[in-house]
Amino acid sequence: MDLNSPNILCKDHPDFKCREIGSLKALFTLEGKKCLVTGAAGGIGRSTAKGFAELGGDVCLVDIPSKKDALERICAEIEQAYGVKAIYALGDVSDENSMMECIQTADREFGTIDVCHSNAGIILPGDNPDIGVAEFKRVLDINLIGMMMVSRACANIMKRDGHGGSIVHTVSQSGHIVNTNWKDDFGYAYHVSKGGALHLTHAMALQYIKYGIRINSVSPGVVLSGIHDPIPVCMMRNAVEKIPIGRFGYLQDVAATVAFLATDLAAFCVGTDIIVDGGETLY
Ligand SMILES: NC(=O)c1ccc[n+]([C@@H]2O[C@H](COP(=O)([O-])OP(=O)(O)OC[C@H]3O[C@@H](n4cnc5c(N)ncnc54)[C@H](O)[C@@H]3O)[C@@H](O)[C@H]2O)c1
């Protein structure tokens, strides 16, 4: 819509008329798009990378060097299953040089980046009210500052190439509520990092939409991604009882939401956060 057009407010102007919908299915595609996912060796990142590939996108999976074998295996699975290009880059999103090298790998191999899922994150077992300052900063460095650096670097490539794009942040229900799911003395670092990530989504969305770059986020509740495997069954039972739908989230629940936000189905979503938690944050 060209708001500078002298005819824009003329009632005959095509941009100013109620339009019937076109094909929704046709919008649900990433055919030919170049996608980057951080934390891609983990449960949620792996599944969104697969989702992007199923929709036709080439994918670059980013994770820390110790996840090299997992990334190699996931890339091979993706290429075989979906016939797209799947590459990986090893690095630490909280280290600016390392993070930039990962983004540059994707840019060099693909020629651009159209979609980014800025997803890497950690929870420290020692995240309690007495958490040390160094540990607190470590959580913010990865979950918030790392997210910002990845998203900004991808947005700058989209801006450079002038084609717009879509960036999705992984926030959390803990960005909305003080989450006492697991223990009463759960600390502040994770909550603060995710609350910051939620508002980062809003602030960056406003900055970049003028370049056609949509930035949105997903806020999962408790999702069985593998990170809860060490938690005792009795604690898991307590946790599931708090979820109105009566089950934990599955990887597909999050991947579906990220895929929606990444495609043109979400063309009017700007700075939107979608909570995917089975109703847990309703009360
Ligand atoms: N699983 C849940 O219940 C849940 C709920 C809400 C939000 N989240 C968020 O979803 C995201 C993914 O979590 P997940 O459940 O898939 O966990 P996960 O532990 O399976 O995956 C996280 C991935 O991030 C990677 N990572 C950690 N630090 C990194 C760094 N410095 N640089 C690059 N990669 C790094 C890890 O190696 C791992 O592969 C996180 O941001 C997490 O906070 C998860």
Side-chain angles (χ1 to χ4, degrees):
M1 191 181 286
D2 179 7
L3 291 173
N4 295 318
S5 158
N7 293 325
I8 188 71
L9 292 177
C10 161
K11 70 180 172 36
D12 296 330
H13 195 285
D15 281 346
F16 231 66
K17 284 190 168 164
C18 171
R19 295 187 193 172
E20 294 307 314
I21 66 163
S23 163
L24 295 183
K25 277 187 186 172
L27 295 175
F28 194 44
T29 178
L30 292 174
E31 206 65 49
K33 300 290 184 193
K34 311 301 177 193
C35 312
L36 180 134
V37 179
T38 67
I44 290 175
R46 179 180 75 238
S47 62
T48 59
K50 287 184 175 175
F52 290 167
E54 186 182 355
L55 293 175
D58 292 324
V59 284
C60 176
L61 288 76
V62 175
D63 213 300
I64 51 179
S66 62
K67 301 290 173 78
K68 182 171 186 284
D69 291 350
L71 290 179
E72 262 173 16
R73 184 176 42 75
I74 299 164
C75 284
E77 281 172 16
I78 288 177
E79 291 201 337
Q80 206 199 349
Y82 306 113
V84 298
K85 193 168 176 186
I87 61 170
Y88 65 86
L90 301 170
D92 177 346
V93 297
S94 69
D95 175 312
E96 192 169 10
N97 292 332
S98 169
M99 178 278 310
M100 278 310 292
E101 276 176 29
C102 292
I103 307 289
Q104 281 159 5
T105 299
D107 190 25
R108 195 173 49 246
E109 294 292 316
F110 291 157
T112 193
I113 294 174
D114 301 286
V115 171
C116 164
H117 183 198
S118 200
N119 165 74
I122 58 163
I123 297 185
L124 286 185
D127 190 354
N128 61 47
D130 296 317
I131 185 172
V133 171
E135 287 77 24
F136 193 100
K137 284 185 176 169
R138 181 81 191 125
V139 176
L140 293 190
D141 276 346
I142 296 172
N143 292 9
L144 180 56
I145 299 173
M147 175 177 285
M148 181 279 290
M149 290 196 296
V150 167
S151 300
R152 186 174 61 185
C154 289
N156 283 338
I157 288 172
M158 296 169 186
K159 188 174 145 187
R160 176 199 72 195
D161 295 340
H163 51 53
S166 173
I167 295 173
V168 184
H169 294 158
T170 305
V171 177
S172 168
Q173 63 179 14
S174 304
H176 297 261
I177 56 162
V178 178
N179 187 348
T180 54
N181 238 329
W182 308 110
K183 46 184 188 165
D184 289 338
D185 67 343
F186 195 32
Y188 322 125
Y190 189 74
H191 284 114
V192 170
S193 71
K194 293 300 184 178
L198 178 64
H199 215 40
L200 176 72
T201 306
H202 302 149
M204 286 189 75
L206 208 51
Q207 276 305 322
Y208 284 98
I209 193 56
K210 51 181 165 290
Y211 306 107
I213 302 164
R214 295 183 299 101
I215 303 184
N216 296 289
S217 56
V218 62
S219 281
V222 185
V223 173
L224 299 176
S225 63
I227 51 168
H228 305 108
D229 291 354
I231 294 180
V233 172
C234 59
M235 282 177 78
M236 292 300 279
R237 192 173 298 120
N238 287 343
V240 80
E241 279 171 4
K242 295 181 182 169
I243 307 176
I245 202 172
R247 69 164 174 87
F248 292 117
Y250 299 128
L251 294 177
Q252 190 152 333
D253 297 321
V254 182
T257 308
V258 175
F260 162 72
L261 290 171
T263 66
D264 286 348
L265 269 181
F268 205 48
C269 292
V270 176
T272 299
D273 180 79
I274 302 183
I275 300 177
V276 183
D277 71 344
E280 193 173 353
T281 53
L282 287 175
Y283 67 97

